[in-house]
Amino acid sequence: MNEIWAEAQRRGITRLCHFTKSANLAHILATGEIRDALTLRAGTEGFRPTDRARLDGYPDHINCSIEYPNTWYLDRARAEDPHFQDWVVLLLDPALLSLPGAKFCPYNAARGLGGGVSSGIAAFTDLFQAAVSGNARRVRTVRHPDWWPTDDQAEVLLPGPIPLRHVHGVVVKDAAQAELEHYRLTQHLDMGTVLPPLIIAPTLFDKYLLSQNVRAGHRPAELPFIP
């Protein structure tokens, strides 16, 4: 067994998260994979990247987080593209942590132009240090869950593309968005057979509330969407 995956299981990690504009969801379902920025730029299809600059220096990797989304960066991305306010969070198989080429950063990977990004079991366990200094010093308390990195913005960079079979769910912010996405993708685009389950979880889109809940050891409510 891969030692990174073994450590992830020991910590109780159940999923990875990758957020994207909801406008990109149909493309992901149609192609059957989440494509990295480098692959998308080389293609002929139009796409709206979440991070145009990719200051982390790894455009051939897909930015993910452990267990819950990096809502701090999501909030900034939403502000930079006011015309596209609907986003989704894709829930990924945590076994992807053991992919060859997977990299880790204990804080936002763009900080220091990717200088904190590394690979291997030591880099993975660094996500859970007693204290991490990214844009500020973050510390673990007795209530901090084993499965949650010390810094909310800790990142996992997975080599792309990621096949759709590794996407186990799609999180939306409210029932209205769930209904819209379901109608658009099943009725209008006829993608119902490949659409992963939709999940409603408003807290996953609120940076303050999510951080407060998770750091206190509480898992926010998540409700399955039933058409």
Side-chain angles (χ1 to χ4, degrees), residues 9 34 59-60 88 91 100 119 122 138-139 151 161 173 176-177 185 193 195 207 209 216-217 224:
Q9 290 182 299
I34 306 171
D60 57 340
V88 296
L91 304 180
S119 58
R138 315 291 180 188
V139 298
D151 191 314
K173 64 181 178 181
Q177 185 186 0
L185 295 166
T193 58
L195 176 63
K207 60 186 179 183
L209 196 55

Coordinates of all heavy atoms in Angstrom, one line a residue, residues 9 34 59-60 88 91 100 119 122 138-139 151 161 173 176-177 185 193 195 207 209 216-217 224:
Q9 N -5.6 7.3 5.1 CA -6.6 6.4 5.8 C -6.6 6.5 7.3 O -7.6 6.5 8.0 CB -6.5 5.0 5.3 CG -6.9 4.8 3.8 CD -6.7 3.4 3.4 OE1 -5.7 2.8 3.4 NE2 -7.9 2.8 2.9
I34 N -11.5 15.7 -15.8 CA -11.1 17.0 -15.4 C -9.8 17.2 -16.0 O -8.8 16.5 -15.7 CB -11.1 17.1 -13.9 CG1 -12.4 16.7 -13.2 CG2 -10.7 18.6 -13.4 CD1 -12.3 16.6 -11.7
P59 N 1.0 24.2 -14.2 CA -0.2 24.2 -15.0 C -0.7 22.8 -15.5 O -1.8 22.7 -15.9 CB 0.1 25.2 -16.1 CG 1.6 25.0 -16.3 CD 2.1 24.9 -14.9
D60 N 0.2 21.9 -15.4 CA -0.1 20.5 -15.8 C -0.7 19.7 -14.6 O -1.0 18.5 -14.8 CB 1.1 19.8 -16.3 CG 2.3 19.7 -15.3 OD1 2.3 20.5 -14.4 OD2 3.2 18.8 -15.5
V88 N -19.3 25.1 -8.5 CA -19.5 23.7 -8.0 C -18.2 23.2 -7.4 O -17.1 23.6 -7.7 CB -20.1 22.8 -9.0 CG1 -21.4 23.2 -9.6 CG2 -19.1 22.6 -10.2
L91 N -16.3 16.4 -5.7 CA -15.8 15.5 -4.6 C -15.0 14.3 -5.3 O -15.6 13.6 -6.0 CB -16.9 15.0 -3.7 CG -17.8 16.1 -3.1 CD1 -18.9 15.4 -2.2 CD2 -16.9 17.0 -2.3
P100 N 1.3 8.8 -8.8 CA 2.7 9.3 -9.0 C 2.6 10.7 -9.6 O 1.8 11.0 -10.4 CB 3.2 8.3 -10.1 CG 2.3 7.1 -9.9 CD 1.0 7.6 -9.5
S119 N 6.8 16.8 -3.0 CA 6.2 15.5 -3.2 C 6.7 14.5 -2.1 O 7.7 14.8 -1.4 CB 6.4 15.0 -4.6 OG 7.8 14.9 -4.8
A122 N 6.8 12.9 3.3 CA 7.2 14.0 4.2 C 6.4 15.3 3.8 O 5.9 16.0 4.7 CB 8.7 14.3 4.1
R138 N -0.7 29.6 11.3 CA -1.9 28.8 11.7 C -1.4 27.7 12.6 O -0.4 27.1 12.4 CB -2.6 28.2 10.5 CG -2.7 29.1 9.3 CD -3.7 30.2 9.6 NE -3.9 31.1 8.4 CZ -4.6 32.2 8.4 NH1 -5.2 32.6 9.5 NH2 -4.7 33.0 7.3
V139 N -2.2 27.4 13.6 CA -1.8 26.4 14.6 C -3.0 25.4 14.8 O -4.2 25.7 14.6 CB -1.4 27.0 16.0 CG1 -0.2 27.8 15.8 CG2 -2.6 27.7 16.6
D151 N -3.4 24.6 7.8 CA -3.8 25.8 7.1 C -5.0 25.4 6.2 O -5.0 24.5 5.4 CB -2.7 26.3 6.2 CG -2.9 27.7 5.7 OD1 -4.0 28.0 5.1 OD2 -2.0 28.5 5.7
P161 N -4.9 14.6 -16.8 CA -6.3 14.8 -16.4 C -6.7 13.7 -15.4 O -6.1 12.7 -15.2 CB -7.1 14.6 -17.7 CG -6.2 13.6 -18.5 CD -4.8 13.9 -18.2
K173 N -24.5 25.2 -3.9 CA -24.7 26.0 -2.7 C -26.1 26.0 -2.1 O -26.3 26.2 -0.9 CB -24.3 27.5 -3.0 CG -25.1 28.2 -4.0 CD -24.6 29.6 -4.2 CE -25.5 30.3 -5.3 NZ -25.0 31.7 -5.6
A176 N -31.9 25.9 -5.2 CA -32.2 26.5 -6.5 C -31.1 26.2 -7.5 O -31.4 25.9 -8.7 CB -32.3 28.0 -6.3
Q177 N -29.8 26.2 -7.1 CA -28.7 25.9 -8.0 C -28.8 24.4 -8.4 O -28.6 24.0 -9.5 CB -27.4 26.2 -7.4 CG -26.3 26.0 -8.4 CD -24.9 26.2 -7.9 OE1 -24.7 26.5 -6.7 NE2 -23.9 25.9 -8.7
L185 N -28.3 19.9 -17.2 CA -27.5 18.8 -17.6 C -28.2 17.6 -18.0 O -27.8 16.8 -18.8 CB -26.5 18.5 -16.4 CG -25.5 19.6 -16.1 CD1 -24.8 19.4 -14.8 CD2 -24.5 19.7 -17.2
T193 N -27.0 10.4 -17.4 CA -26.3 9.1 -17.1 C -24.9 9.2 -16.6 O -24.4 8.3 -16.0 CB -26.3 8.2 -18.4 OG1 -25.6 8.9 -19.5 CG2 -27.7 7.9 -18.9
L195 N -23.9 12.2 -14.9 CA -23.9 13.3 -13.9 C -23.8 12.6 -12.5 O -24.6 11.8 -12.1 CB -25.2 14.1 -13.9 CG -25.4 15.2 -12.8 CD1 -24.3 16.2 -12.9 CD2 -26.7 15.8 -12.9
K207 N -16.6 31.0 3.6 CA -15.2 30.8 4.1 C -15.1 30.9 5.6 O -14.4 30.1 6.3 CB -14.2 31.8 3.5 CG -14.5 33.2 3.7 CD -13.6 34.1 2.9 CE -13.9 35.6 3.1 NZ -13.0 36.5 2.3
L209 N -17.7 30.5 7.9 CA -18.5 29.5 8.6 C -17.9 28.1 8.4 O -17.8 27.3 9.3 CB -19.9 29.5 8.0 CG -21.0 28.8 8.8 CD1 -21.1 29.3 10.2 CD2 -22.4 28.9 8.1
A216 N -13.4 23.5 14.6 CA -14.0 23.0 15.9 C -14.4 21.5 15.9 O -14.9 21.0 16.8 CB -15.3 23.8 16.2
G217 N -14.1 20.9 14.7 CA -14.3 19.4 14.7 C -15.7 19.1 14.2 O -16.1 17.9 14.3
P224 N -28.4 15.4 0.1 CA -28.5 14.9 -1.3 C -29.7 15.6 -2.0 O -30.7 15.8 -1.4 CB -28.7 13.4 -1.1 CG -29.3 13.3 0.2 CD -28.7 14.4 1.1

